[in-house]
Amino acid sequence: MTLYLLYESSSGYALFRAQGLDEIGQNTEAVRNSVADLNRLGKVVQLTAFQPFESAIDGLNQCNSVSEGLMTDELRSFLELNLPKVKEGKISKFSLGVAEPKLGSHISETTKITCQSGEFVLELLRGVRLHFDKFIKDLKSGDLEKAQLGLAHSYSRAKVKFNVNRVDNMVIQAIFLLDTLDKDINSFSMRVREWYSWHFPELVKIVNDNYLYARVAKLIEDKSKLSEEHIPALTEIIGDEDKAKEIVEAGKASMGQDLTPVDLINVQLFAQRVMDLAEYRKNLYDYLVTKMNDIAPNLASLIGEVVGARLISHAGSLTNLAKCPSSTLQILGAEKALFRALKTRGNTPKYGLIFHSSFIGRASAKNKGRMARYLANKCSIASRIDCFAGGSTVFGEKLREQVEERLEFYDKGVAPRKNIDVMKSAIVSTQNKDVEMEEASPVEASAKKSKKKKSKPEDGPVAATNGDASEDAKSEKRKKKEKRKIEKEQDHGAEKTNGVNGDVVEQDGTAKKKKKKSKDEGAAASETKKKKKSKE
């Protein structure tokens, strides 16, 4: 069987024909040894056809299609023109060697051409790639390298631009920065406390919050200037008038040392920086919440925005998190403890990053491990729904209800609902929402149509516009039909009973005598009497 080789280069498609394979015996080692020598390779492989790309954009499109295992129209026409034609219902007497198995399967399904890809074909294509510029006469020495570099750059840009997980990068960077800001704000606030405590040491016991302490230190500046005029401003910052008065009284009897104006200026500037960082941290948290509601709404509604973002960041992307089994997601973030336990043959960790969830904290000590396993299972479901389905937060809310029911089951023994029932109710609720959205506009039109279809008062009750009244009208019609059936049955019974007297009871209740039959019977009886008299 003749073997053809399809080679996708940066400048175009090339088709080679392999000859003398019987002599080699399709030995991979023999081909691997002879690939480096152009003379030996040229005796086996010969160029059949070459089709260059029209432009760089065309080359990028062809490269994307080949990487996805799809055959383009250009590649199909190239193969149909240069390969021998196969008659319908017959097997081809040749095969096509390709480097990508997915591309080969697509070609064989579409064009019925037998394709193969193995180590032998890959070694032949490696030799073609090594000496490709020698097979094409019109190519210069540096043209192929320039085409390869340009196509590589454009292909990389396209992959980065159309990356599925590119939105997850924003969440990953935001949660990294949020954790860093928490550490920095904490350390800087402690530095402000220590620095300003030399001047006003009593303020530390009165104001515990770091952000409020920095604001109060920025407002007070010099403790010797504190007076009752500062009470309204301090009350606005702290929110408690008693504490504001306590600060003023403590400032009058403070044991701290005095600071020079330059030192006070430096303290105020540093306190202002801490306040700015705290404000930026608040804005960053709001940004993270909105991004998580857009990217992973079900995971955020189940376990929270911060914990969900940490899980996505640790996994690398939402897709990687969705691919993780629940057992891996349960200990995500506790890898050191896991490997240490495996090494020392100790107890493996029960939870990792999901320990920060409120559900683990609410569970009792003996149920924390079971709660972590159950919560990891639900987080795995929510992440897969967000990654591959998307949509609203209905599933996340239902999963959260399941976790709440599981907590009640551990504490009080209340039996929770089954997972299949909860998922069915979630699917029904999502479908109802979609139907409501679709039917919101045509409600008025349906009301107008129902008004037009009102029935006349003589025929029966008037049909109402809503569905309940129409159902009532249908039920009344059914009742009338049943009454008629009953009357008919009664009529048949009356016919049987009144058949002796010759009366028949009909539907309207009126009795009619069979006059004709009675007259005929009377005439026949009179004739028989006359005959008897005449004989006598």
Side-chain angles (χ1 to χ4, degrees), residues 71-104:
M71 181 180 62
T72 59
D73 296 335
E74 291 82 2
L75 179 58
R76 181 173 182 176
S77 61
F78 174 70
L79 294 176
E80 289 178 351
L81 286 173
N82 298 291
L83 287 176
K85 294 183 179 179
V86 181
K87 295 182 180 180
E88 294 182 0
K90 292 188 177 181
I91 302 173
S92 60
K93 297 181 180 180
F94 63 91
S95 61
L96 180 66
V98 293
E100 294 290 336
K102 292 183 179 180
L103 180 62

mmCIF file of all heavy atoms in Angstrom, residues 71-104:
data_model
loop_
_atom_site.group_PDB
_atom_site.id
_atom_site.type_symbol
_atom_site.label_atom_id
_atom_site.label_comp_id
_atom_site.label_asym_id
_atom_site.label_seq_id
_atom_site.Cartn_x
_atom_site.Cartn_y
_atom_site.Cartn_z
ATOM 1 N N MET A 71 -10.383 19.707 9.751
ATOM 2 C CA MET A 71 -9.910 19.843 8.372
ATOM 3 C C MET A 71 -10.647 21.004 7.718
ATOM 4 O O MET A 71 -11.876 21.041 7.674
ATOM 5 C CB MET A 71 -10.171 18.549 7.594
ATOM 6 C CG MET A 71 -9.681 18.614 6.151
ATOM 7 S SD MET A 71 -9.996 17.090 5.238
ATOM 8 C CE MET A 71 -11.774 17.033 5.283
ATOM 9 N N THR A 72 -9.893 21.967 7.205
ATOM 10 C CA THR A 72 -10.488 23.125 6.539
ATOM 11 C C THR A 72 -10.838 22.783 5.089
ATOM 12 O O THR A 72 -10.449 21.733 4.557
ATOM 13 C CB THR A 72 -9.515 24.305 6.578
ATOM 14 O OG1 THR A 72 -8.297 23.925 5.915
ATOM 15 C CG2 THR A 72 -9.206 24.712 8.016
ATOM 16 N N ASP A 73 -11.566 23.687 4.462
ATOM 17 C CA ASP A 73 -11.940 23.487 3.058
ATOM 18 C C ASP A 73 -10.721 23.513 2.142
ATOM 19 O O ASP A 73 -10.660 22.772 1.145
ATOM 20 C CB ASP A 73 -12.931 24.572 2.626
ATOM 21 C CG ASP A 73 -14.241 24.472 3.406
ATOM 22 O OD1 ASP A 73 -14.554 23.367 3.880
ATOM 23 O OD2 ASP A 73 -14.930 25.506 3.533
ATOM 24 N N GLU A 74 -9.747 24.370 2.482
ATOM 25 C CA GLU A 74 -8.532 24.440 1.667
ATOM 26 C C GLU A 74 -7.760 23.126 1.726
ATOM 27 O O GLU A 74 -7.265 22.627 0.702
ATOM 28 C CB GLU A 74 -7.636 25.589 2.145
ATOM 29 C CG GLU A 74 -8.191 26.975 1.866
ATOM 30 C CD GLU A 74 -9.204 27.420 2.907
ATOM 31 O OE1 GLU A 74 -9.436 26.642 3.864
ATOM 32 O OE2 GLU A 74 -9.765 28.513 2.770
ATOM 33 N N LEU A 75 -7.652 22.553 2.931
ATOM 34 C CA LEU A 75 -6.938 21.281 3.071
ATOM 35 C C LEU A 75 -7.676 20.156 2.361
ATOM 36 O O LEU A 75 -7.053 19.288 1.720
ATOM 37 C CB LEU A 75 -6.759 20.951 4.553
ATOM 38 C CG LEU A 75 -6.049 19.641 4.884
ATOM 39 C CD1 LEU A 75 -4.671 19.601 4.267
ATOM 40 C CD2 LEU A 75 -5.975 19.437 6.393
ATOM 41 N N ARG A 76 -8.984 20.166 2.418
ATOM 42 C CA ARG A 76 -9.754 19.122 1.740
ATOM 43 C C ARG A 76 -9.585 19.200 0.226
ATOM 44 O O ARG A 76 -9.387 18.171 -0.437
ATOM 45 C CB ARG A 76 -11.229 19.256 2.116
ATOM 46 C CG ARG A 76 -12.116 18.194 1.487
ATOM 47 C CD ARG A 76 -13.529 18.262 2.019
ATOM 48 N NE ARG A 76 -14.360 17.198 1.448
ATOM 49 C CZ ARG A 76 -15.611 16.963 1.788
ATOM 50 N NH1 ARG A 76 -16.189 17.721 2.711
ATOM 51 N NH2 ARG A 76 -16.295 15.980 1.236
ATOM 52 N N SER A 77 -9.670 20.385 -0.334
ATOM 53 C CA SER A 77 -9.481 20.526 -1.782
ATOM 54 C C SER A 77 -8.061 20.154 -2.194
ATOM 55 O O SER A 77 -7.851 19.541 -3.256
ATOM 56 C CB SER A 77 -9.799 21.966 -2.207
ATOM 57 O OG SER A 77 -8.923 22.869 -1.561
ATOM 58 N N PHE A 78 -7.084 20.484 -1.339
ATOM 59 C CA PHE A 78 -5.693 20.128 -1.632
ATOM 60 C C PHE A 78 -5.513 18.615 -1.670
ATOM 61 O O PHE A 78 -4.836 18.077 -2.574
ATOM 62 C CB PHE A 78 -4.783 20.761 -0.573
ATOM 63 C CG PHE A 78 -3.344 20.346 -0.675
ATOM 64 C CD1 PHE A 78 -2.548 20.763 -1.725
ATOM 65 C CD2 PHE A 78 -2.775 19.524 0.299
ATOM 66 C CE1 PHE A 78 -1.215 20.374 -1.816
ATOM 67 C CE2 PHE A 78 -1.455 19.136 0.225
ATOM 68 C CZ PHE A 78 -0.669 19.562 -0.844
ATOM 69 N N LEU A 79 -6.111 17.901 -0.732
ATOM 70 C CA LEU A 79 -5.985 16.446 -0.700
ATOM 71 C C LEU A 79 -6.747 15.792 -1.849
ATOM 72 O O LEU A 79 -6.254 14.838 -2.468
ATOM 73 C CB LEU A 79 -6.489 15.906 0.641
ATOM 74 C CG LEU A 79 -5.683 16.289 1.883
ATOM 75 C CD1 LEU A 79 -6.364 15.769 3.135
ATOM 76 C CD2 LEU A 79 -4.257 15.766 1.793
ATOM 77 N N GLU A 80 -7.946 16.290 -2.152
ATOM 78 C CA GLU A 80 -8.737 15.688 -3.226
ATOM 79 C C GLU A 80 -8.104 15.898 -4.599
ATOM 80 O O GLU A 80 -8.241 15.053 -5.496
ATOM 81 C CB GLU A 80 -10.150 16.270 -3.204
ATOM 82 C CG GLU A 80 -10.977 15.802 -2.017
ATOM 83 C CD GLU A 80 -12.352 16.437 -2.001
ATOM 84 O OE1 GLU A 80 -12.575 17.367 -2.819
ATOM 85 O OE2 GLU A 80 -13.190 16.040 -1.166
ATOM 86 N N LEU A 81 -7.386 17.002 -4.785
ATOM 87 C CA LEU A 81 -6.744 17.264 -6.080
ATOM 88 C C LEU A 81 -5.486 16.435 -6.278
ATOM 89 O O LEU A 81 -5.192 16.004 -7.400
ATOM 90 C CB LEU A 81 -6.418 18.753 -6.209
ATOM 91 C CG LEU A 81 -7.602 19.702 -6.460
ATOM 92 C CD1 LEU A 81 -7.142 21.149 -6.393
ATOM 93 C CD2 LEU A 81 -8.247 19.414 -7.812
ATOM 94 N N ASN A 82 -4.736 16.191 -5.220
ATOM 95 C CA ASN A 82 -3.409 15.596 -5.372
ATOM 96 C C ASN A 82 -3.346 14.114 -4.988
ATOM 97 O O ASN A 82 -2.365 13.455 -5.310
ATOM 98 C CB ASN A 82 -2.393 16.373 -4.531
ATOM 99 C CG ASN A 82 -2.272 17.822 -4.986
ATOM 100 O OD1 ASN A 82 -1.766 18.108 -6.063
ATOM 101 N ND2 ASN A 82 -2.756 18.748 -4.154
ATOM 102 N N LEU A 83 -4.341 13.627 -4.300
ATOM 103 C CA LEU A 83 -4.342 12.201 -3.964
ATOM 104 C C LEU A 83 -5.122 11.426 -5.017
ATOM 105 O O LEU A 83 -6.021 11.963 -5.666
ATOM 106 C CB LEU A 83 -4.975 11.986 -2.585
ATOM 107 C CG LEU A 83 -4.147 12.406 -1.368
ATOM 108 C CD1 LEU A 83 -4.959 12.227 -0.100
ATOM 109 C CD2 LEU A 83 -2.842 11.623 -1.287
ATOM 110 N N PRO A 84 -4.807 10.146 -5.210
ATOM 111 C CA PRO A 84 -5.597 9.336 -6.162
ATOM 112 C C PRO A 84 -7.052 9.245 -5.723
ATOM 113 O O PRO A 84 -7.356 9.185 -4.532
ATOM 114 C CB PRO A 84 -4.905 7.965 -6.114
ATOM 115 C CG PRO A 84 -3.535 8.240 -5.587
ATOM 116 C CD PRO A 84 -3.648 9.405 -4.675
ATOM 117 N N LYS A 85 -7.938 9.230 -6.701
ATOM 118 C CA LYS A 85 -9.357 9.181 -6.409
ATOM 119 C C LYS A 85 -9.772 7.764 -6.033
ATOM 120 O O LYS A 85 -9.305 6.795 -6.636
ATOM 121 C CB LYS A 85 -10.166 9.657 -7.609
ATOM 122 C CG LYS A 85 -9.943 11.129 -7.931
ATOM 123 C CD LYS A 85 -10.825 11.576 -9.096
ATOM 124 C CE LYS A 85 -10.595 13.057 -9.385
ATOM 125 N NZ LYS A 85 -11.430 13.527 -10.528
ATOM 126 N N VAL A 86 -10.666 7.694 -5.070
ATOM 127 C CA VAL A 86 -11.161 6.408 -4.582
ATOM 128 C C VAL A 86 -12.604 6.249 -5.057
ATOM 129 O O VAL A 86 -13.432 7.141 -4.863
ATOM 130 C CB VAL A 86 -11.099 6.334 -3.041
ATOM 131 C CG1 VAL A 86 -11.587 4.969 -2.551
ATOM 132 C CG2 VAL A 86 -9.676 6.611 -2.571
ATOM 133 N N LYS A 87 -12.902 5.141 -5.700
ATOM 134 C CA LYS A 87 -14.264 4.887 -6.161
ATOM 135 C C LYS A 87 -15.163 4.536 -4.981
ATOM 136 O O LYS A 87 -14.712 4.019 -3.967
ATOM 137 C CB LYS A 87 -14.265 3.748 -7.182
ATOM 138 C CG LYS A 87 -13.520 4.084 -8.463
ATOM 139 C CD LYS A 87 -13.600 2.935 -9.447
ATOM 140 C CE LYS A 87 -12.841 3.264 -10.741
ATOM 141 N NZ LYS A 87 -12.909 2.148 -11.714
ATOM 142 N N GLU A 88 -16.423 4.840 -5.167
ATOM 143 C CA GLU A 88 -17.388 4.596 -4.100
ATOM 144 C C GLU A 88 -17.557 3.094 -3.871
ATOM 145 O O GLU A 88 -17.668 2.317 -4.813
ATOM 146 C CB GLU A 88 -18.740 5.218 -4.462
ATOM 147 C CG GLU A 88 -18.700 6.732 -4.540
ATOM 148 C CD GLU A 88 -20.063 7.297 -4.842
ATOM 149 O OE1 GLU A 88 -21.019 6.507 -4.987
ATOM 150 O OE2 GLU A 88 -20.178 8.538 -4.926
ATOM 151 N N GLY A 89 -17.563 2.727 -2.603
ATOM 152 C CA GLY A 89 -17.750 1.333 -2.238
ATOM 153 C C GLY A 89 -16.481 0.507 -2.277
ATOM 154 O O GLY A 89 -16.537 -0.701 -2.054
ATOM 155 N N LYS A 90 -15.346 1.120 -2.600
ATOM 156 C CA LYS A 90 -14.072 0.394 -2.663
ATOM 157 C C LYS A 90 -13.094 0.978 -1.656
ATOM 158 O O LYS A 90 -13.155 2.155 -1.308
ATOM 159 C CB LYS A 90 -13.472 0.471 -4.073
ATOM 160 C CG LYS A 90 -14.280 -0.293 -5.107
ATOM 161 C CD LYS A 90 -13.548 -0.336 -6.433
ATOM 162 C CE LYS A 90 -14.325 -1.165 -7.461
ATOM 163 N NZ LYS A 90 -13.619 -1.240 -8.747
ATOM 164 N N ILE A 91 -12.172 0.136 -1.232
ATOM 165 C CA ILE A 91 -11.160 0.555 -0.257
ATOM 166 C C ILE A 91 -10.004 1.205 -1.004
ATOM 167 O O ILE A 91 -9.582 0.744 -2.065
ATOM 168 C CB ILE A 91 -10.672 -0.647 0.566
ATOM 169 C CG1 ILE A 91 -11.867 -1.308 1.281
ATOM 170 C CG2 ILE A 91 -9.629 -0.218 1.589
ATOM 171 C CD1 ILE A 91 -11.513 -2.599 1.990
ATOM 172 N N SER A 92 -9.472 2.290 -0.434
ATOM 173 C CA SER A 92 -8.351 2.988 -1.071
ATOM 174 C C SER A 92 -7.099 2.128 -1.006
ATOM 175 O O SER A 92 -6.855 1.405 -0.026
ATOM 176 C CB SER A 92 -8.108 4.328 -0.365
ATOM 177 O OG SER A 92 -7.797 4.121 1.000
ATOM 178 N N LYS A 93 -6.298 2.222 -2.082
ATOM 179 C CA LYS A 93 -5.053 1.458 -2.167
ATOM 180 C C LYS A 93 -3.870 2.233 -1.626
ATOM 181 O O LYS A 93 -2.723 1.852 -1.846
ATOM 182 C CB LYS A 93 -4.785 1.071 -3.625
ATOM 183 C CG LYS A 93 -5.854 0.148 -4.209
ATOM 184 C CD LYS A 93 -5.518 -0.226 -5.634
ATOM 185 C CE LYS A 93 -6.580 -1.152 -6.208
ATOM 186 N NZ LYS A 93 -6.283 -1.540 -7.604
ATOM 187 N N PHE A 94 -4.148 3.318 -0.915
ATOM 188 C CA PHE A 94 -3.085 4.129 -0.320
ATOM 189 C C PHE A 94 -3.560 4.590 1.058
ATOM 190 O O PHE A 94 -4.743 4.482 1.406
ATOM 191 C CB PHE A 94 -2.755 5.338 -1.191
ATOM 192 C CG PHE A 94 -3.897 6.303 -1.353
ATOM 193 C CD1 PHE A 94 -4.064 7.377 -0.485
ATOM 194 C CD2 PHE A 94 -4.838 6.121 -2.354
ATOM 195 C CE1 PHE A 94 -5.126 8.244 -0.613
ATOM 196 C CE2 PHE A 94 -5.899 6.991 -2.496
ATOM 197 C CZ PHE A 94 -6.048 8.057 -1.630
ATOM 198 N N SER A 95 -2.621 5.102 1.839
ATOM 199 C CA SER A 95 -2.936 5.643 3.164
ATOM 200 C C SER A 95 -2.212 6.972 3.332
ATOM 201 O O SER A 95 -1.184 7.223 2.691
ATOM 202 C CB SER A 95 -2.529 4.662 4.273
ATOM 203 O OG SER A 95 -1.127 4.431 4.231
ATOM 204 N N LEU A 96 -2.757 7.789 4.183
ATOM 205 C CA LEU A 96 -2.215 9.134 4.420
ATOM 206 C C LEU A 96 -1.653 9.189 5.836
ATOM 207 O O LEU A 96 -2.357 8.908 6.814
ATOM 208 C CB LEU A 96 -3.310 10.187 4.238
ATOM 209 C CG LEU A 96 -2.906 11.651 4.444
ATOM 210 C CD1 LEU A 96 -1.909 12.073 3.364
ATOM 211 C CD2 LEU A 96 -4.123 12.556 4.413
ATOM 212 N N GLY A 97 -0.378 9.529 5.942
ATOM 213 C CA GLY A 97 0.259 9.663 7.240
ATOM 214 C C GLY A 97 0.188 11.092 7.747
ATOM 215 O O GLY A 97 0.574 12.031 7.055
ATOM 216 N N VAL A 98 -0.328 11.277 8.961
ATOM 217 C CA VAL A 98 -0.478 12.598 9.566
ATOM 218 C C VAL A 98 0.164 12.578 10.941
ATOM 219 O O VAL A 98 0.316 11.520 11.575
ATOM 220 C CB VAL A 98 -1.961 13.004 9.662
ATOM 221 C CG1 VAL A 98 -2.561 13.213 8.284
ATOM 222 C CG2 VAL A 98 -2.763 11.963 10.435
ATOM 223 N N ALA A 99 0.507 13.780 11.417
ATOM 224 C CA ALA A 99 1.134 13.891 12.736
ATOM 225 C C ALA A 99 0.102 13.957 13.846
ATOM 226 O O ALA A 99 0.355 13.494 14.964
ATOM 227 C CB ALA A 99 2.035 15.129 12.783
ATOM 228 N N GLU A 100 -1.075 14.533 13.564
ATOM 229 C CA GLU A 100 -2.125 14.683 14.576
ATOM 230 C C GLU A 100 -3.170 13.576 14.396
ATOM 231 O O GLU A 100 -3.826 13.502 13.357
ATOM 232 C CB GLU A 100 -2.801 16.051 14.451
ATOM 233 C CG GLU A 100 -1.884 17.215 14.764
ATOM 234 C CD GLU A 100 -1.542 17.289 16.232
ATOM 235 O OE1 GLU A 100 -2.325 16.768 17.048
ATOM 236 O OE2 GLU A 100 -0.494 17.859 16.570
ATOM 237 N N PRO A 101 -3.365 12.714 15.386
ATOM 238 C CA PRO A 101 -4.387 11.646 15.246
ATOM 239 C C PRO A 101 -5.807 12.194 15.117
ATOM 240 O O PRO A 101 -6.624 11.631 14.391
ATOM 241 C CB PRO A 101 -4.225 10.836 16.539
ATOM 242 C CG PRO A 101 -2.849 11.150 17.031
ATOM 243 C CD PRO A 101 -2.586 12.558 16.618
ATOM 244 N N LYS A 102 -6.106 13.320 15.814
ATOM 245 C CA LYS A 102 -7.457 13.901 15.710
ATOM 246 C C LYS A 102 -7.731 14.393 14.299
ATOM 247 O O LYS A 102 -8.827 14.199 13.756
ATOM 248 C CB LYS A 102 -7.604 15.060 16.702
ATOM 249 C CG LYS A 102 -7.604 14.635 18.148
ATOM 250 C CD LYS A 102 -7.819 15.826 19.058
ATOM 251 C CE LYS A 102 -7.846 15.394 20.523
ATOM 252 N NZ LYS A 102 -8.044 16.554 21.420
ATOM 253 N N LEU A 103 -6.726 15.023 13.695
ATOM 254 C CA LEU A 103 -6.880 15.492 12.322
ATOM 255 C C LEU A 103 -7.061 14.309 11.370
ATOM 256 O O LEU A 103 -7.873 14.369 10.429
ATOM 257 C CB LEU A 103 -5.657 16.325 11.916
ATOM 258 C CG LEU A 103 -5.649 16.892 10.495
ATOM 259 C CD1 LEU A 103 -6.812 17.856 10.303
ATOM 260 C CD2 LEU A 103 -4.325 17.579 10.208
ATOM 261 N N GLY A 104 -6.321 13.227 11.607
ATOM 262 C CA GLY A 104 -6.461 12.048 10.756
ATOM 263 C C GLY A 104 -7.837 11.421 10.851
ATOM 264 O O GLY A 104 -8.415 11.006 9.835
#
